[in-house]
Amino acid sequence: MKTIIQGKEEISKTDRAYIEINLKNLCHNVKVLQNAMPKKCELMAVVKAEAYGHGAFYISKYLNKMGIKSFAVATIDEGIKLRKYGIRGDILILGWTCVNRAYELKKYDLTQTLIDFEYAYELSRQGVAVKAHIKIDTGMHRLGIPCEEFLNVKKVFSMKNIKISGIFTHLCCSDSRNPEDIEFTKGQILSFYNLIDILKASSITIPKLHIQSSYGLLNYPELNCDYVRAGIALYGVLSTPDNDTKLKLDLRPVFSLKSKVVLIRSVKKGDSIGYGRSFTAKRDSRIAILSVGYGDGFPRNLSCGRGSVKINQHIVPVIGRICMDQLAVDITDAGDVNCGDIATLIGAEESNVLSAPVVADNSGSISNELLCRMGARLPVRIE
Ligand SMILES: *Cc1c(COP(=O)(O)O)cnc(C)c1O
């Protein structure tokens, strides 16, 4: 579990770098997403990878208190952690779990995704009654029973130790508004419902259905499922800066990354800074050292001016190479900066340069990856 710190005082005295979580915005996003969903559809909060780097403990506890009763994680150990935090409701494991751990699935009341037919068979053979959702592959070709194999899907419903409470598929290009991708996605949705019709025709009681993740909801809001599995949208950002979506929701970022100025130094024109001497001062300069680096999750490829940070309302460039635990910024033009000042590296309140999608894009990635890498070393401060 991550360290939880409350109160500005403590942060300013002791912490070199930290994540700031805005729970008001999280609450807002939940309501906005719920309003965009059909009446009977439930929000399944995806809290894998430490809730996308936000800290699974506080996020899940808060969501649970708000009335969210359905969670998704990637691994059994993430699921067990949630139970140890006291999270109630359904917890679906989206990825593979070794069948030897069937007893733990039962003990912690976790729901396992059946990733293919053989997996379901092996899990049932463990002799422990386990809750499960069947995953159907409709074109992503990652996990799931191929949608054409309806005989196998039917067989899973009669497996002795498998208690099916859901069936779902995953869309692989629902983020795209390109006509070919829309065509493909509609094909995935159709294949899924065709399979459901076949099951109905065989008198199988249909369990809860789900198809959409964040972009599935934003681009295919007309679907009428039992759950939406929302991750990135819940945290109030899109994956990339210029994403066009059919539904435009007022989502608000939950995450900020902040760090303290621990040293200020003057360098002479011609001096180099950092590893590899990759930055040379073109003028006499003032440099601030921030106590945060790629060991905290801030991408190293934002080195050498590709990234910037905000100090006292000034946007200043990262100079030289980002280290594991420190980085340098040029504050020559940033006015009066002092040791102990707080720099924002990713800002929940920023609409442009420091928003997660833009920072991620500058580092050649998407917000999802940028945020979930922040899970390891940083303490979390709750706003
Ligand atoms: C991670 C994941 C999600 C959440 O995706 P977002 O795009 O973050 O909403 C949904 N479904 C599955 C199967 C996932 O693995």
Side-chain angles (χ1 to χ4, degrees):
M1 184 169 49
K2 299 178 129 194
T3 320
I4 309 293
I5 301 161
Q6 280 172 303
K8 276 200 167 65
E9 204 54 22
E10 266 180 273
I11 284 288
S12 64
K13 285 200 181 110
T14 65
D15 268 278
R16 54 180 280 279
Y18 56 95
I19 293 166
E20 202 169 78
I21 296 301
N22 186 324
L23 290 179
K24 254 197 224 127
N25 285 359
L26 180 66
C27 175
H28 169 87
N29 296 337
V30 167
K31 289 180 182 160
V32 165
L33 290 169
Q34 284 173 332
N35 282 336
M37 287 161 30
K39 272 226 156 47
K40 285 189 185 143
C41 182
E42 227 185 285
L43 183 72
M44 184 188 290
V46 182
V47 294
K48 59 192 181 188
E50 283 292 340
Y52 291 45
H54 294 60
F57 175 76
Y58 243 84
I59 297 287
S60 311
K61 278 294 223 190
Y62 185 79
L63 291 172
N64 222 183
K65 251 202 337 229
M66 268 192 84
I68 299 295
K69 300 190 299 295
S70 181
F71 294 86
V73 293
T75 72
I76 183 172
D77 294 307
E78 289 178 337
I80 292 172
K81 253 194 194 172
L82 291 193
R83 287 294 185 226
K84 291 189 170 163
Y85 295 159
I87 299 302
R88 291 161 183 247
D90 293 321
I91 301 176
L92 174 64
I93 301 167
L94 297 167
W96 174 86
T97 299
C98 181
V99 294
N100 293 345
R101 303 186 70 180
Y103 170 74
E104 289 169 276
L105 291 172
K106 182 169 182 214
K107 177 175 172 194
Y108 292 100
D109 189 24
L110 303 172
T111 307
Q112 175 59 42
T113 293
L114 303 175
I115 62 171
D116 77 350
F117 178 74
E118 285 70 27
Y119 180 84
Y121 179 75
E122 287 302 325
L123 186 61
S124 181
R125 267 176 27 119
Q126 302 305 305
V128 182
V130 167
K131 282 190 194 168
H133 284 200
I134 305 177
K135 182 146 195 197
I136 303 298
D137 177 15
T138 53
M140 177 141 178
H141 299 138
R142 187 177 62 177
L143 304 181
I145 303 176
C147 54
E148 309 80 41
E149 295 181 11
F150 53 87
L151 287 176
N152 276 343
V153 177
K154 277 195 231 173
K155 280 190 209 157
V156 173
F157 278 91
S158 56
M159 285 179 180
K160 184 159 170 261
N161 295 311
I162 305 284
K163 297 189 283 185
I164 306 294
S165 51
I167 184 165
F168 72 106
T169 191
H170 195 46
L171 305 174
C172 55
C173 52
S174 61
D175 57 327
S176 166
R177 297 309 290 151
N178 159 341
E180 272 175 39
D181 291 332
I182 292 175
E183 201 58 29
F184 187 88
T185 304
K186 287 188 169 164
Q188 282 192 278
I189 295 165
L190 195 65
S191 308
F192 182 70
Y193 280 112
N194 280 343
L195 172 73
I196 300 300
D197 286 341
I198 291 171
L199 297 176
K200 273 185 192 158
S202 320
S203 307
I204 284 172
T205 309
I206 304 300
K208 298 274 175 84
L209 304 184
H210 46 115
I211 300 175
Q212 302 138 293
S213 57
S214 297
Y215 281 98
L217 175 68
L218 295 173
N219 284 325
Y220 301 86
E222 64 281 359
L223 294 181
N224 194 2
C225 296
D226 295 303
Y227 295 110
V228 166
R229 304 183 301 270
I232 198 71
L234 189 59
Y235 306 108
V237 292
L238 296 180
S239 297
T240 60
D242 43 12
N243 246 175
D244 184 32
T245 53
K246 185 170 174 184
L247 206 60
K248 289 171 180 56
L249 299 181
D250 169 32
L251 298 169
R252 300 180 185 164
V254 175
F255 181 100
S256 298
L257 172 63
K258 301 198 172 178
S259 172
K260 192 184 303 225
V261 173
V262 295
L263 271 184
I264 293 180
R265 45 205 346 175
S266 299
V267 295
K268 290 252 166 338
K269 181 179 171 182
D271 284 350
S272 65
I273 289 144
Y275 285 125
R277 307 183 64 222
S278 60
F279 176 86
T280 303
K282 291 194 183 65
R283 55 178 176 173
D284 291 352
S285 307
R286 284 179 80 222
I287 305 301
I289 306 299
L290 303 184
S291 198
V292 66
Y294 62 79
D296 301 293
F298 194 67
R300 182 175 177 276
N301 60 5
L302 292 173
S303 295
C304 305
R306 284 189 295 275
S308 43
V309 313
K310 192 171 85 172
I311 304 180
N312 301 341
Q313 306 312 314
H314 293 276
I315 301 287
V316 298
V318 172
I319 53 172
R321 290 188 195 157
I322 294 171
C323 309
M324 192 181 288
D325 320 302
Q326 277 95 26
L327 59 83
V329 294
D330 184 346
I331 53 164
T332 314
D333 300 322
D336 185 28
V337 175
N338 296 295
C339 273
D341 285 356
I342 299 294
T344 302
L345 294 93
I346 300 172
E349 72 280 8
E350 317 299 328
S351 56
N352 41 31
V353 279
L354 295 183
S355 71
V358 171
V359 175
D361 195 49
N362 288 339
S363 76
S365 187
I366 56 174
S367 335
N368 313 46
E369 185 192 9
L370 176 72
L371 295 178
C372 84
R373 281 171 175 256
M374 307 283 171
R377 187 160 74 182
L378 297 170
V380 176
R381 174 171 183 266
I382 304 297
E383 267 288 279

